[in-house]
Amino acid sequence: DAGVIQSPRHEVTEMGQEVTLRCKPISGHNSLFWYRQTMMRGLELLIYFNNNVPIDDSGMPEDRFSAKMPNASFSTLKIQPSEPRDSAVYFCASSADRGPADTQYFGPGTRLTVL
Amino acid sequence: GEDVEQSLFLSVREGDSSVINCTYTDSSSTYLYWYKQEPGAGLQLLTYIFSNMDMKQDQRLTVLLNKKDKHLSLRIADTQTGDSAIYFCAESPYSGSARQLTFGSGTQLTVLP
């Protein structure tokens, strides 16, 4: 199994630009999570999907952030326009949610730097 | 709401045992997890324990759960330099369909030669 795949691994952009982060969950997993990690705030859950439907987006910081999951094998997190305070590592995780060991499996993350 | 707390830093000598502690507040927590994050990588599941268990052992790892005090610990025996990482405690409630996790802030473990 390839695990959760995220792209790009690193993104450097200028303030005001649109940023799109991509995630491919583990095949067969029905839940997908987007997290943001910073030194100041730790690991924050932004949004999660179950069977491609957004269930809880209360962690999305502002309207500048949006997430989609058009099918079971792909999700995007978009920031438009980006700001320097959005600089962080963004993780995608997926879960099969079938039993106690079916916890979340994390991708390697995308390190975003907004100048 | 739920809250999970951990100390931020721990240093140990190579070969010694490490004990990382965690406290949580949600009495309905059903599963408790330990994740490891190495530099530049995502979180990796190490082990988990069901709330009706007191202890779980997995090779060098021992998880102890004191449900009355809502205290969880991870003991790493014979700590190696490769164990240097950030360790996150996480809890999951009984309800919830997507295994929502509440994470602690993470404990940075440094193993000194």
Side-chain angles (χ1 to χ4, degrees), chain B residues 9-10 15 32 43 51 56 71 78 85 88 94 99-100:
Chain B
F9 302 100
L10 176 66
L32 295 127
L43 279 68
S51 59
K56 181 177 181 181
H71 182 266
D78 187 24
F88 290 89
Y94 176 76
R99 300 288 171 198
Q100 284 180 273

Side-chain angles (χ1 to χ4, degrees), chain B residues 45-56:
Chain B
L45 177 66
L46 278 181
T47 187
Y48 68 94
I49 189 167
F50 187 44
S51 59
N52 68 352
M53 298 169 64
D54 298 328
M55 185 181 85
K56 181 177 181 181

Side-chain angles (χ1 to χ4, degrees), chain A residues 9 30-31 33 35 37 42-43 45 48-50 55-56 89 91 95 97-109 111, chain B residues 9 30-31 33 35 37-45 47-48 50 86 88 90 92 96-105:
Chain A
R9 292 295 311 276
N30 62 350
S31 294
F33 306 80
Y35 289 90
Q37 186 179 39
L43 197 62
L45 176 65
Y48 84 90
F49 295 83
N50 187 247
I55 303 299
D56 182 359
V89 181
F91 289 104
S95 167
D97 199 26
R98 288 171 303 214
D102 286 334
T103 185
Q104 296 173 27
Y105 293 85
F106 282 71
R111 182 173 294 277
Chain B
F9 302 100
T30 304
Y31 301 106
Y33 301 88
Y35 279 81
Q37 184 181 28
E38 296 181 352
L43 279 68
Q44 172 193 2
L45 177 66
T47 187
Y48 68 94
F50 187 44
I86 302 174
F88 290 89
S92 176
S97 63
R99 300 288 171 198
Q100 284 180 273
L101 297 175
T102 300
F103 286 91
S105 56

